Amino acid sequence: MRVIFLVLMVCSAFFPFSVAEPRPLSLMPLPSNVQMKTGQLVIDPSFTVGISGASEAHLRRSAELFLDNLRRQTGMTALDMKVTDSAHARLVVRSEGSSKDVQELGEDESYSLDISSAGATLDAATPLGIMRGLQTFLQLVQTTSDGFAAPAVAIQDKPRFPWRGLMIDVSRHFIPLDVLKRNLDGMAAVKMNVFHWHLSDDQGFRVESKKFPTLQEMGSDGLFYTQAEVRELIAYARDRGIRIVPEFDMPGHSTAWFVGYPELASGPGPYQIERKWGVFDPAMDPTEERTYKFLDGFIGEMAKLFPERYFHIGGDEVNGKEWDANAKIQAFMHAHGLKSNQDLQAYFNTRVQKIVSKHGKIMVGWDEILRPDLPKDIVVQSWRGQDSLAAAAKQGYRGLLSFGYYVDLNWPALQHYAVDPMSGAAANLSPEEKRRILGGEACMWSEYVSPENIDSRLWPRTAAIAERLWSAQDVMEVNSMYERLEVVSRWLDWLGLTHNSSYGPMLRRIAGSDDISALRTFTDVVEPVKDYTREEIAAVEATSLSPLNRVIDAARPESETARRFADLVDALIAGRADSAAKQEVRACLTRWRDNQSNLQALVTQSFLLKEIVPVSQDLSAVAASGLQALDYIDRGERAPDAWATQQFALLQEAEKPKAQLLLMVAPAVQKLVETSSGQKAPAPPK
Amino acid sequence: MRVIFLVLMVCSAFFPFSVAEPRPLSLMPLPSNVQMKTGQLVIDPSFTVGISGASEAHLRRSAELFLDNLRRQTGMTALDMKVTDSAHARLVVRSEGSSKDVQELGEDESYSLDISSAGATLDAATPLGIMRGLQTFLQLVQTTSDGFAAPAVAIQDKPRFPWRGLMIDVSRHFIPLDVLKRNLDGMAAVKMNVFHWHLSDDQGFRVESKKFPTLQEMGSDGLFYTQAEVRELIAYARDRGIRIVPEFDMPGHSTAWFVGYPELASGPGPYQIERKWGVFDPAMDPTEERTYKFLDGFIGEMAKLFPERYFHIGGDEVNGKEWDANAKIQAFMHAHGLKSNQDLQAYFNTRVQKIVSKHGKIMVGWDEILRPDLPKDIVVQSWRGQDSLAAAAKQGYRGLLSFGYYVDLNWPALQHYAVDPMSGAAANLSPEEKRRILGGEACMWSEYVSPENIDSRLWPRTAAIAERLWSAQDVMEVNSMYERLEVVSRWLDWLGLTHNSSYGPMLRRIAGSDDISALRTFTDVVEPVKDYTREEIAAVEATSLSPLNRVIDAARPESETARRFADLVDALIAGRADSAAKQEVRACLTRWRDNQSNLQALVTQSFLLKEIVPVSQDLSAVAASGLQALDYIDRGERAPDAWATQQFALLQEAEKPKAQLLLMVAPAVQKLVETSSGQKAPAPPK
């Protein structure tokens, strides 16, 4: 019933419905074990949290943050909702152990939460487990007929993987501290526990070094975090049970370092901050001792600034061109028996690993760093896939999966959700080897994100990855995932995330008008092109100077409307659709068919609308085609072959990206045409 | 054309329209002098601001803030948009004079802005004038067919009054620093220049005193600003050309002081932080020297913390009961020939004024402080009205108007807009006396606001008050004001103000569902009751512990939908409505009539919806009545008297507040019934 009700809202704003049955729990990530009980715990302004047993600062702070969130979520500003030491509180929290000075990989995050109509208890081995359990409690709180309430339930829960991360690249576009903070709130809400901060790359060096201030002075356009801000974010993350792993990419992806310190590079210089996207030639000179002396000083400084035990040195995508072109480097390689650039990079990594280790840290790097001469305590982050991860595990190395979790590629949530760190070759590892697979990280590379739209590129899809890394491997039902994802998406609004709220203002800017109904109807059914297609088909090469204010920047990575419409069409074709669902399909198609004429009226007033006219015309034509197909189906009449051939050609044309956008309702309309004509659409040309 | 286009969007989401003509300027406050020229200045990612002549820190900071806002508004993250010293910039800014160390009352804020297709120049006597002119520039930037652009225009502008303030009470509900910051951004956007910070009252003492820390420790529930935060906000305001005037209300409205320092009070104590709303008995003891010693220490500390020259001591609403009940105080009054509590308060004020003056400050207070024995440099803030202000001016005192500007009373914008500081008795003052009227302040008393909804109680209506205080007295065309107010409201979204964005999430919480279409349709046409009615008709007395999450807390103080609907109905009755407008009236009424059945389906799942059912039923009945009236009108048939009598009774009932809400479309429907029947509705019973 719930599914159909949601589906029915795709296009009709005022469809009468009924919601009699109790709402299902919308927990994400799904806990290991949930037993529903009878009754519910009412949350009123006198709600209190009691800390039983040892009350340490982290525990108390967690309880206070929990109450802040609860107040926001319920709109109760109540001063009486507070943390007490008493065991008579409505929610009693008890942690067996206490917090480590610095949060560590692999700390116990399990918890058990028991809620009855009289009160609730939350038990955990550590304050981290308490934090995870408090998030579950918040997800349980609903508006009910008797007040805000959490249903009576018993939950035992623990994570599948100990490393559940999100990487944000703050180099290609600088992301201000407050934006990072709200996204850390989002991470904590879905129980992620590592923020991987990609702090330097060709396009910018983003941390203040007091030892080498020219790094940020010349390498950042003035856009960097002070050390005080770094400490502020680390404390903020710590309060939320999140470790911050810094990454300084080397020896490649390092142009921004060389603007101030050209002597570190392998080429002649001078260097400028890179404005373009891609893989570039500049690389550190691995043959000069001054390089290691500098890195020793720099890593030493950063090792103090970041208390975290793991330290990421990047190590990806060195194209070797500067090394090839440098006779002195070639001579060094020859003299040391280094046969390839890979060998040279391995030499560099070994040297850097010693420095990292000297400063008390464990090195992390991308796939390319893996060479058998490195010590076994390093961690490999794989953008190549599970097989690469399995190979590392077999050699005794620990690894993280990021292949399949690149959220900047605009994949639908189900595509990320289907990627499991333990699949492929990893599925066949021994138990010991499997334990070396620590988890994974969603990655947000920032070529096309700004403070305004980064949230909408991260959320809610990142929650699906969080579930993959927290919940049991067999939690994989896609419909359930999407249902819960939508609820979580709205819940994240309370944390100040802007993935929903920025949509309207961006569309108003594009329209140059407050009347955005036609533009919204359009943008609701398109998606940005996937993978690296945006770059590949760009009319003008994008750089870090390009505005991010087009329809492609406002459009959601995954169209909820198109997904729901496709579900409706599937139901209709399968004969599972009732008359309301059929009406809804017709209402959608009618609205889309007529939308172009509404949109056209706006086009004269905005330069940002011009590029979407062909796509809007396609939408109109596709919808008209769908309506005709529906007429044939309704009349029980077989559509003529010639008509179907014509529609397939039209649909094939409409499925080609235009304005770097994909029209997401075309495939469902194609199914309607197929059904009405009894013909299969021809395969698209390669 | 524009008006009709906007009006047509009241209920129909997909009404086809055309927008051929150029959009009018939507400046608010309206400048003194605007001359349109031909062409426009395109704003692209290479836009720069040059500072010509002396470039001081405040000027540079203003230009940087301007570019930040421009980037946000246009979505151009462009690194090339920067402040240069060159005179070759697209916008050249030139200030004759430099900034004062501390911003002063009466500094020249005039500016002239000249924009052509080749570039723009902004000249002013002071950096403050530059700030005002930069805001005008931002308001001019629109999305056009050729890119973002400001129209070619020449503007000379200056404020009518030198004191254009907003008071926010942070005692009754604590308002966190970030919320104040975004509201200071809003103030700067509409050229307001004084933030009056009501920092203490019966319900909370909100500033850290290092000298008397028990003030905040016992008087704030832990909700106060540290001195570092106060300094941070002062700097933030200074960057935006806003003075911060602190208010510490005394000798009444001071219960929160006495929790930690009962010896200051006139009663026996002990005292607790007040949770209720109203006027309470506790008052400082004006007869004890220790009171003045304490105040000397405290005011001395605050005088250092706040660099601002003016210092507000409140002074309002002393009910005198503690004085009456204290024999020692009565004896003192007798001994000193003080005949009334007013005399005693005057004695107190005279003593306090000397302390304030000793610490280098000029005293400000509410109406009640005015007594001829106070020095002429004090400033009186009038909540009583223009006559009171005029009386003060005649006695040589300077004054500010706040009567008519209480935005917490939920008046429509036009009601505030009609209040002029120079009307009533003030209109007849001599020029010299008139100069003593410094301006006015919008006031936000915070009984019913939280961080979540304070923005929606302030904006956009406060912009209408800002215009009253900045623009010429004869700028008073209400339709123009509303048209511009709507544009400004959306523009304020770019500053992060939440008056628009918080509406949806609040409604979703109330509905306990993501499907809020019926609830939104309902809430769009209701308003909170006005003035102090919320308290007067409350079923349960509200306190500072009461949640602010009801429909009354989400509903806007002024319903845009109801206002537009009323305009449409007026046009229809006057025979000015075209067929599209007539259709729109019918579409609205049909939607409202059918809304209750949609809403009813939600009611079972949320306790917050129960109270609105009777109002929703009224809406349905009123809309049905309107549709019938429309049918009679359309058929050219006179509605029967008996029917009309019945409808008038129904409408009268529907106009009574329920759930503390007013149904705002009832009056327009009443007009339709009157027109259809040729009858006048009976006057409502007193």
Side-chain angles (χ1 to χ4, degrees):
Chain A
M1 181 59 200
R2 180 179 165 81
V3 176
I4 293 300
F5 150 57
L6 285 171
V7 162
L8 286 171
M9 302 305 294
V10 179
C11 287
S12 309
F14 317 114
F15 189 81
F17 52 88
S18 69
V19 271
E21 49 209 300
R23 282 159 291 170
L25 299 186
S26 291
L27 298 173
M28 190 166 223
L30 212 60
S32 314
N33 195 322
V34 178
Q35 292 153 274
M36 295 301 298
K37 304 193 298 181
T38 311
Q40 59 180 17
L41 175 64
V42 172
I43 316 286
D44 64 22
S46 67
F47 185 86
T48 49
V49 181
I51 296 174
S52 162
S55 168
E56 57 158 294
H58 286 298
L59 213 49
R60 204 182 165 84
R61 183 91 187 103
S62 300
E64 275 162 3
L65 285 175
F66 164 79
L67 285 178
D68 282 350
N69 285 332
L70 190 61
R71 283 192 200 97
R72 255 203 277 189
Q73 205 173 318
T74 60
M76 300 199 288
T77 53
L79 301 166
D80 284 351
M81 280 173 72
K82 55 180 123 185
V83 181
T84 64
D85 294 316
S86 136
H88 298 93
R90 278 305 181 82
L91 168 60
V92 176
V93 150
R94 184 170 37 219
S95 166
E96 273 171 49
S98 56
S99 296
K100 310 265 186 188
D101 281 348
V102 175
Q103 189 181 331
E104 289 176 14
L105 171 63
E107 285 188 63
D108 192 335
E109 296 175 277
S110 66
Y111 66 90
S112 66
L113 175 63
D114 193 276
I115 302 178
S116 72
S117 54
T121 55
L122 172 60
D123 288 276
T126 71
L128 284 181
I130 298 294
M131 287 182 202
R132 309 305 171 223
L134 289 172
Q135 292 294 341
T136 301
F137 191 102
L138 287 172
Q139 284 196 355
L140 288 167
V141 176
Q142 294 182 330
T143 310
T144 77
S145 58
D146 300 315
F148 295 105
V153 70
I155 293 177
Q156 288 81 39
D157 198 12
K158 63 172 196 297
R160 181 172 164 223
F161 293 105
W163 189 308
R164 304 175 308 280
L166 169 63
M167 187 217 74
I168 296 182
D169 165 14
V170 298
S171 173
R172 288 173 177 80
H173 278 99
F174 181 70
I175 306 296
L177 210 67
D178 60 327
V179 180
L180 294 181
K181 282 184 178 172
R182 69 184 186 229
N183 280 290
L184 287 171
D185 287 339
M187 289 175 64
V190 295
K191 303 185 171 61
M192 295 181 107
N193 66 357
V194 179
F195 174 54
H196 169 172
W197 205 355
H198 185 81
L199 282 161
S200 71
D201 213 303
D202 298 304
Q203 292 84 0
F205 188 95
R206 303 297 183 198
V207 161
E208 175 192 28
S209 169
K210 292 186 191 285
K211 206 163 183 129
F212 305 107
T214 314
L215 281 171
Q216 73 271 12
E217 281 164 13
M218 297 190 68
S220 77
D221 296 297
L223 300 169
F224 65 90
Y225 311 98
T226 65
Q227 294 203 353
E229 286 172 328
V230 169
R231 275 187 284 267
E232 186 182 333
L233 199 72
I234 291 170
Y236 192 89
R238 182 70 181 89
D239 280 344
R240 285 150 184 83
I242 296 172
R243 298 157 46 212
I244 295 192
V245 176
E247 176 185 351
F248 296 96
D249 208 343
M250 58 184 85
H253 284 293
S254 50
T255 309
W257 304 53
F258 307 150
V259 185
Y261 297 93
E263 64 274 22
L264 296 176
S266 305
Y271 293 90
Q272 296 208 313
I273 296 175
E274 185 57 58
R275 298 298 187 207
K276 296 186 177 179
W277 312 135
V279 175
F280 300 97
D281 302 345
M284 289 180 187
D285 187 342
T287 70
E288 288 281 359
E289 282 309 307
R290 65 168 175 247
T291 302
Y292 301 107
K293 187 155 180 286
F294 183 97
L295 289 175
D296 186 30
F298 176 74
I299 292 172
E301 182 184 13
M302 292 300 125
K304 285 204 186 69
L305 181 60
F306 291 90
E308 164 63 27
R309 193 78 203 283
Y310 290 79
F311 192 94
H312 204 302
I313 61 126
D316 57 320
E317 297 183 325
V318 184
N319 72 11
K321 288 188 185 168
E322 277 199 351
W323 293 345
D324 295 340
N326 182 322
K328 188 198 51 127
I329 291 177
Q330 292 304 312
F332 180 92
M333 288 171 71
H334 187 74
H336 290 74
L338 301 167
K339 296 194 173 59
S340 66
N341 286 333
Q342 286 70 30
D343 287 350
L344 181 59
Q345 190 176 348
Y347 167 81
F348 174 82
N349 288 340
T350 308
R351 294 287 306 265
V352 170
Q353 189 277 329
K354 292 204 173 81
I355 295 170
V356 169
S357 176
K358 173 187 155 189
H359 292 293
K361 305 289 176 177
I362 297 169
M363 188 166 96
V364 190
W366 298 97
D367 277 315
E368 292 95 322
I369 67 158
L370 188 67
R371 295 278 289 217
D373 37 351
L374 282 172
K376 299 296 185 215
D377 73 344
I378 67 156
V379 174
V380 177
Q381 180 166 18
S382 180
W383 58 272
R384 289 183 179 156
Q386 292 90 335
D387 293 355
S388 165
L389 208 57
K394 275 185 191 296
Q395 294 173 53
Y397 292 103
R398 293 176 300 165
L400 299 170
L401 188 67
S402 278
F403 166 87
Y405 300 145
Y406 275 25
V407 285
D408 57 307
L409 301 186
N410 294 312
W411 293 5
L414 66 89
Q415 198 174 345
H416 295 301
Y417 196 60
V419 176
D420 194 286
M422 290 300 183
S423 64
N428 301 317
L429 294 174
S430 71
E432 194 190 339
E433 287 161 352
K434 278 186 175 169
R435 272 195 297 277
R436 296 190 187 123
I437 297 182
L438 301 175
E441 283 188 2
C443 290
M444 171 49 81
W445 300 102
S446 67
E447 282 90 343
Y448 299 107
V449 295
S450 66
E452 180 174 74
N453 78 348
I454 187 170
D455 294 20
S456 75
R457 270 75 195 121
L458 281 167
W459 307 102
R461 293 176 307 139
T462 295
I465 299 174
E467 171 155 294
R468 175 58 49 243
L469 298 172
W470 176 281
S471 303
Q473 187 164 10
D474 62 358
V475 173
M476 51 196 309
E477 217 279 289
V478 168
N479 286 338
S480 160
M481 181 274 285
Y482 274 118
E483 271 189 44
R484 292 176 293 115
L485 196 65
E486 285 173 18
V487 177
V488 166
S489 175
R490 290 301 181 185
W491 177 57
L492 292 173
D493 287 343
W494 298 120
L495 300 173
L497 288 164
T498 64
H499 56 302
N500 291 317
S501 65
S502 68
Y503 191 53
M506 289 186 84
L507 294 185
R508 272 188 284 276
R509 174 205 289 142
I510 291 167
S513 162
D514 283 353
D515 174 40
I516 53 169
S517 58
L519 177 58
R520 186 188 287 260
T521 297
F522 172 82
T523 313
D524 277 351
V525 296
V526 295
E527 291 178 10
V529 288
K530 309 296 157 185
D531 303 307
Y532 299 100
T533 311
R534 181 165 183 173
E535 259 143 45
E536 291 156 14
I537 65 172
V540 179
E541 187 180 1
T543 70
S544 56
L545 306 176
S546 307
L548 296 174
N549 55 13
R550 295 162 55 209
V551 172
I552 186 179
D553 301 305
R556 276 82 180 267
E558 181 167 17
S559 161
E560 206 173 295
T561 306
R563 186 170 53 74
R564 289 180 176 182
F565 178 72
D567 286 348
L568 271 184
V569 166
D570 286 346
L572 188 146
I573 289 172
R576 288 184 283 105
D578 60 12
S579 75
K582 284 183 196 161
Q583 269 177 40
E584 188 61 22
V585 171
R586 192 173 283 279
C588 285
L589 291 168
T590 306
R591 182 165 169 183
W592 296 331
R593 182 195 61 197
D594 300 340
N595 195 59
Q596 160 57 13
S597 63
N598 299 338
L599 191 72
Q600 192 61 44
L602 287 172
V603 169
T604 53
Q605 68 187 34
S606 168
F607 70 111
L608 291 167
L609 288 174
K610 286 175 191 157
E611 64 174 350
I612 65 167
V613 172
V615 197
S616 175
Q617 286 166 341
D618 282 352
L619 174 62
S620 192
V622 161
S625 176
L627 283 168
Q628 287 167 33
L630 216 52
D631 286 343
Y632 283 119
I633 295 170
D634 281 357
R635 290 197 302 264
E637 186 184 323
R638 190 169 180 279
D641 289 355
W643 174 84
T645 306
Q646 214 176 10
Q647 306 315 308
F648 290 139
L650 180 158
L651 284 160
Q652 208 164 74
E653 183 57 29
E655 290 192 29
K656 291 182 188 158
K658 302 184 183 75
Q660 298 164 305
L661 294 171
L662 294 171
L663 185 57
M664 299 309 293
V665 294
V669 169
Q670 183 172 304
K671 286 187 188 173
L672 288 174
V673 174
E674 288 178 339
T675 303
S676 70
S677 64
Q679 298 217 47
K680 274 307 260 186
K686 285 286 171 195
Chain B
M1 181 58 201
R2 180 179 164 80
V3 176
I4 292 301
F5 150 55
L6 285 172
V7 162
L8 286 171
M9 303 304 297
V10 178
C11 287
S12 308
F14 318 113
F15 189 81
F17 52 90
S18 70
V19 271
E21 50 209 295
R23 281 159 290 170
L25 299 187
S26 290
L27 297 173
M28 188 166 226
L30 212 60
S32 314
N33 194 321
V34 179
Q35 293 153 276
M36 295 302 297
K37 305 194 296 183
T38 311
Q40 60 181 16
L41 175 63
V42 172
I43 316 286
D44 64 22
S46 67
F47 186 85
T48 49
V49 181
I51 296 173
S52 162
S55 168
E56 57 156 292
H58 287 298
L59 212 50
R60 205 181 163 84
R61 184 89 187 105
S62 301
E64 275 162 4
L65 285 175
F66 164 78
L67 284 179
D68 282 349
N69 285 332
L70 190 60
R71 282 193 201 98
R72 257 206 277 190
Q73 206 173 319
T74 60
M76 300 200 286
T77 53
L79 302 165
D80 283 353
M81 281 174 71
K82 54 181 127 188
V83 181
T84 64
D85 294 317
S86 131
H88 297 94
R90 278 304 181 81
L91 167 60
V92 177
V93 149
R94 185 170 35 223
S95 166
E96 273 173 51
S98 55
S99 296
K100 310 266 188 187
D101 282 347
V102 174
Q103 188 180 329
E104 288 177 14
L105 170 65
E107 285 189 64
D108 191 335
E109 295 175 276
S110 66
Y111 66 90
S112 67
L113 175 63
D114 193 276
I115 301 178
S116 72
S117 53
T121 55
L122 171 60
D123 289 274
T126 71
L128 283 180
I130 297 294
M131 288 181 203
R132 309 305 172 223
L134 289 173
Q135 292 294 341
T136 301
F137 192 102
L138 286 173
Q139 283 196 354
L140 289 166
V141 176
Q142 294 182 329
T143 309
T144 77
S145 57
D146 301 315
F148 296 106
V153 69
I155 293 177
Q156 288 83 39
D157 197 12
K158 61 172 197 296
R160 179 171 165 223
F161 292 106
W163 189 307
R164 305 175 306 280
L166 169 63
M167 187 217 73
I168 295 181
D169 165 14
V170 297
S171 174
R172 288 173 178 80
H173 278 99
F174 181 69
I175 306 295
L177 210 67
D178 61 327
V179 180
L180 295 181
K181 281 184 177 174
R182 68 182 186 229
N183 279 291
L184 287 170
D185 287 341
M187 291 175 63
V190 295
K191 303 184 171 63
M192 296 182 105
N193 65 358
V194 178
F195 174 53
H196 168 173
W197 205 355
H198 185 80
L199 283 161
S200 71
D201 213 303
D202 297 304
Q203 294 82 359
F205 188 95
R206 304 297 183 195
V207 161
E208 175 194 27
S209 169
K210 291 184 192 286
K211 210 167 180 124
F212 305 106
T214 313
L215 280 171
Q216 73 270 13
E217 281 163 14
M218 297 190 66
S220 77
D221 296 296
L223 300 169
F224 65 91
Y225 312 98
T226 65
Q227 294 204 354
E229 287 173 327
V230 169
R231 273 187 286 267
E232 186 182 333
L233 199 73
I234 291 170
Y236 192 90
R238 180 73 180 88
D239 280 344
R240 286 152 184 80
I242 296 171
R243 297 158 45 213
I244 294 191
V245 176
E247 175 183 352
F248 296 94
D249 208 343
M250 59 184 85
H253 284 292
S254 49
T255 309
W257 305 55
F258 306 150
V259 187
Y261 296 94
E263 64 272 24
L264 296 176
S266 306
Y271 293 90
Q272 296 208 309
I273 297 175
E274 185 57 58
R275 299 295 186 209
K276 296 187 178 182
W277 312 134
V279 174
F280 300 96
D281 302 346
M284 290 179 186
D285 187 341
T287 70
E288 286 284 356
E289 282 309 307
R290 63 168 177 247
T291 302
Y292 302 106
K293 186 152 180 287
F294 183 97
L295 289 175
D296 187 29
F298 177 75
I299 292 172
E301 183 185 12
M302 293 299 126
K304 285 202 186 70
L305 181 61
F306 291 90
E308 164 64 28
R309 192 79 202 283
Y310 291 78
F311 192 96
H312 203 303
I313 61 125
D316 55 321
E317 299 184 323
V318 184
N319 73 12
K321 288 189 185 169
E322 277 199 353
W323 293 345
D324 294 342
N326 182 322
K328 187 196 52 123
I329 291 176
Q330 294 303 314
F332 180 94
M333 287 170 71
H334 187 76
H336 290 74
L338 301 168
K339 296 197 173 57
S340 67
N341 286 332
Q342 286 70 30
D343 286 349
L344 181 59
Q345 189 177 347
Y347 166 80
F348 174 82
N349 288 341
T350 307
R351 297 286 304 265
V352 171
Q353 188 278 328
K354 289 202 174 84
I355 295 171
V356 169
S357 175
K358 169 187 156 190
H359 294 291
K361 307 288 176 178
I362 297 169
M363 190 167 96
V364 189
W366 299 98
D367 277 315
E368 292 93 325
I369 68 160
L370 190 68
R371 296 277 291 218
D373 37 353
L374 282 173
K376 298 294 183 217
D377 72 345
I378 68 155
V379 175
V380 177
Q381 178 166 18
S382 178
W383 59 270
R384 288 183 179 159
Q386 292 91 335
D387 292 354
S388 165
L389 209 57
K394 276 185 192 295
Q395 294 173 54
Y397 291 103
R398 292 175 302 164
L400 299 170
L401 187 67
S402 278
F403 166 87
Y405 299 145
Y406 276 25
V407 283
D408 58 306
L409 300 185
N410 294 312
W411 293 7
L414 66 87
Q415 199 174 344
H416 295 300
Y417 197 61
V419 176
D420 195 287
M422 290 298 185
S423 64
N428 302 318
L429 295 174
S430 72
E432 193 190 339
E433 288 162 350
K434 279 186 175 171
R435 271 194 299 277
R436 293 188 191 128
I437 297 183
L438 301 175
E441 284 187 2
C443 290
M444 171 49 80
W445 300 102
S446 67
E447 282 89 344
Y448 299 106
V449 295
S450 67
E452 180 175 73
N453 78 348
I454 187 171
D455 293 22
S456 74
R457 271 77 193 117
L458 281 166
W459 307 101
R461 293 175 306 136
T462 294
I465 299 173
E467 173 156 295
R468 175 58 49 242
L469 297 172
W470 176 282
S471 304
Q473 187 164 11
D474 62 358
V475 173
M476 52 196 309
E477 216 279 291
V478 168
N479 286 338
S480 159
M481 181 274 284
Y482 274 119
E483 271 190 43
R484 291 177 294 114
L485 196 65
E486 285 173 17
V487 177
V488 165
S489 174
R490 290 301 179 184
W491 178 58
L492 292 174
D493 287 341
W494 298 120
L495 301 174
L497 288 163
T498 65
H499 57 302
N500 291 316
S501 65
S502 68
Y503 191 52
M506 289 186 83
L507 295 185
R508 271 189 285 275
R509 174 204 290 144
I510 291 167
S513 161
D514 283 355
D515 174 41
I516 53 170
S517 57
L519 178 58
R520 185 189 289 261
T521 296
F522 172 83
T523 313
D524 276 352
V525 297
V526 296
E527 292 178 9
V529 288
K530 310 295 160 187
D531 301 311
Y532 299 101
T533 311
R534 181 166 182 172
E535 261 145 41
E536 291 156 14
I537 65 172
V540 179
E541 187 179 2
T543 70
S544 56
L545 305 177
S546 307
L548 296 174
N549 55 12
R550 295 163 55 210
V551 171
I552 185 178
D553 300 305
R556 276 82 180 269
E558 181 168 17
S559 161
E560 206 173 294
T561 305
R563 185 170 54 72
R564 287 177 177 184
F565 178 72
D567 286 349
L568 271 183
V569 166
D570 285 346
L572 188 147
I573 290 172
R576 289 184 284 105
D578 59 14
S579 73
K582 283 182 195 160
Q583 271 176 40
E584 188 61 22
V585 172
R586 191 172 282 279
C588 287
L589 291 169
T590 306
R591 182 167 171 180
W592 295 331
R593 181 196 60 196
D594 300 341
N595 195 60
Q596 160 57 13
S597 62
N598 298 337
L599 191 73
Q600 192 60 45
L602 288 173
V603 167
T604 53
Q605 67 185 36
S606 169
F607 71 110
L608 293 166
L609 287 174
K610 286 176 192 158
E611 65 173 348
I612 65 167
V613 172
V615 197
S616 177
Q617 286 165 341
D618 281 353
L619 175 61
S620 193
V622 161
S625 176
L627 282 168
Q628 288 167 32
L630 216 52
D631 286 342
Y632 284 118
I633 295 170
D634 280 358
R635 291 197 301 265
E637 187 184 323
R638 190 169 182 282
D641 289 356
W643 174 84
T645 306
Q646 212 175 11
Q647 307 316 308
F648 291 139
L650 179 158
L651 285 160
Q652 209 164 73
E653 182 57 30
E655 290 191 29
K656 291 182 188 157
K658 299 184 185 75
Q660 296 164 307
L661 295 171
L662 296 171
L663 185 57
M664 300 308 293
V665 295
V669 168
Q670 182 172 305
K671 286 188 189 172
L672 287 174
V673 174
E674 288 178 337
T675 303
S676 69
S677 64
Q679 295 217 50
K680 274 307 258 184
K686 282 291 172 195

